Amino acid sequence: MLRLIRGLPETAPPTPRVLGVDEFALRKGHVYATILVDIETRRPVDLLPDRRVETVARWLADHPGVEVICRDRSGTFAEAGRLGAPAAIHVADRWHLWKNLSEAVEKTVVHHRTLLPEPPASPSAPTEALVLPPEEIAGPRRSGRLSDRVREQHATVHDLLREGTALRVIARRLGLARNTVRRLAHAKDPDELLVGRWSGRVSILDP
């Protein structure tokens, strides 16, 4: 039955007017491919074996009719669109806009956390319930979204460094700013990046 099904002719989907382009990891940090989606019908159109400019541009050239390319801020997909569908309009999708915005806000708050004023004590709870003992305040945060992400990025960056990968290549591959990659590379332990004025405090936002 499977052989019969596989033997059936495959009908090629029509070229979408609004094409979504994004990468996905076959092996995180090592092997990436590209998924193409019809944004208007929300159906996958094709999977490309890599995320190179030539591969995406060739697909666009072979499938004329794309009017809008919906993508992230990747320079690779921007160049591919310019070569393969020069008349298409490029737009950012909502998911990447929210992701970039949340990362920018979080990065700014973390960078300037020492300038933020201490929150007033809650009238319904004693101050002691919000603050850890002094000896624990200086320690790095061990859990939470920021902590988990920093530890994962630190491990990935150092794995790539051991393979001889340059910082510029690592930044492009992980989609991080080069200064961020440099800080991760220079830190022997991720805890060095997680020590801050508020890093040991209990917050009502923790849950």
Side-chain angles (χ1 to χ4, degrees), residues 167-188:
L167 292 181
R168 179 181 300 177
V169 177
I170 295 175
R172 187 168 61 249
R173 185 178 297 180
L174 300 182
L176 298 173
R178 200 179 306 174
N179 287 338
T180 301
V181 174
R182 188 176 293 112
R183 286 198 301 271
L184 291 165
H186 290 168
K188 295 182 180 180

Side-chain angles (χ1 to χ4, degrees), residues 26-101:
L26 295 169
R27 184 184 174 200
K28 191 171 183 180
H30 297 277
V31 183
Y32 287 83
T34 301
I35 183 171
L36 306 177
V37 178
D38 186 330
I39 295 297
E40 294 180 309
T41 64
R42 301 186 179 184
R43 290 174 176 256
V45 175
D46 208 345
L47 296 176
L48 306 182
D50 54 57
R51 58 178 178 181
R52 294 185 304 154
V53 171
E54 300 81 5
T55 304
V56 181
R58 188 183 310 115
W59 191 96
L60 290 170
D62 292 342
H63 299 79
V66 175
E67 299 177 12
V68 179
I69 296 176
C70 188
R71 60 175 180 84
D72 60 12
R73 296 183 301 165
S74 165
T76 298
F77 295 145
E79 180 69 7
R82 187 184 67 82
L83 296 173
I89 299 172
H90 293 233
V91 300
D93 61 79
R94 285 177 295 180
W95 187 89
H96 281 101
L97 285 175
W98 278 113
K99 179 174 183 291
N100 295 154
L101 175 62

Side-chain angles (χ1 to χ4, degrees), residues 2 7 15 22 48 88 93 96-97 116 118 141 156 170 189 200:
L2 289 176
T15 300
D22 203 359
L48 306 182
D93 61 79
H96 281 101
L97 285 175
L116 297 174
E118 290 287 342
R141 197 166 186 83
T156 302
I170 295 175
D189 190 282

Side-chain angles (χ1 to χ4, degrees), residues 137-159:
I137 292 179
R141 197 166 186 83
R142 298 293 180 181
S143 62
R145 190 162 62 92
L146 174 63
S147 174
D148 295 343
R149 191 174 74 213
V150 169
R151 294 180 192 282
E152 181 182 353
Q153 290 174 346
H154 181 272
T156 302
V157 167
H158 281 262
D159 287 343

